[in-house]
Amino acid sequence: MIPVLLADDEAMIRAGVRVILAADPEIEVVAEAADGRAAVDLARAHRPRVALLDIRMPKLDGLAAAVEIRRLVPATAVLMLTTFGEDDYVARALGDGASGFLLKAGDPRELLAGVRAAADGGAYLSPGIARRVIELGGARMARGPAARGRIGTLTDREREVLALVGAGLSNAEIARRLFLVEGTVKSYLSTIFARLGVRNRVQAAIVAYDAGLVDDAG
């Protein structure tokens, strides 16, 4: 049997997914959660082969829950299930070690295939998501050299700050991570923005991502 944890804040969605999974006699839903925090707790209690997580949930969203589950129960593979196909969700989920990304509007057979692939240690992407990953990868490869050239003007410390901006940390979080005061972080950011020719931290984060800094930010 493949024990599965199912987490979604909508009871009707959980019921529908459970019915689809029940079509495979080797898949068993052993626990259900309506929020991300409960999903993490249930993963620790049941240690399922696969955790199927919705992206948007209360208390702890699916992306954050996935990180916690991968940290606390590393033998559990994580699949993200969502109605949202935004690129940032895909990049974050896969970057955090998710085994796949499935759209709720996809073919039910994709759900079964995804669970089986994750349980076997593989990965699975809905066809629509796979196309976007390929497009994103190609676009990033094309932008990479230019972005790496842009960050060449930065000091090592400025690159550290930029990498953490790209990873989504706030000024206060960056200050704690690098043992700086928050005012110093703001000063670094002003310099970084000027040297990169960007207007805000979103544009700076894109440069960090394209240059490959976020991969090593931890």
Side-chain angles (χ1 to χ4, degrees), residues 12 23 32 47 64 164 192 198:
M12 289 186 67
E32 294 185 30
R47 299 188 175 274
L164 296 176
I192 290 168
V198 300

Side-chain angles (χ1 to χ4, degrees), residues 10 20-21 23 41 54 58 67-68 82-84 88 98 117 122 130 137 174 180 184 195 212:
E10 296 185 47
I20 293 171
L21 296 179
D41 292 341
D54 183 26
V67 172
E68 284 294 288
T82 183
T83 56
F84 301 92
D88 58 339
I174 293 172
L180 301 171
T184 301
R195 289 184 176 176

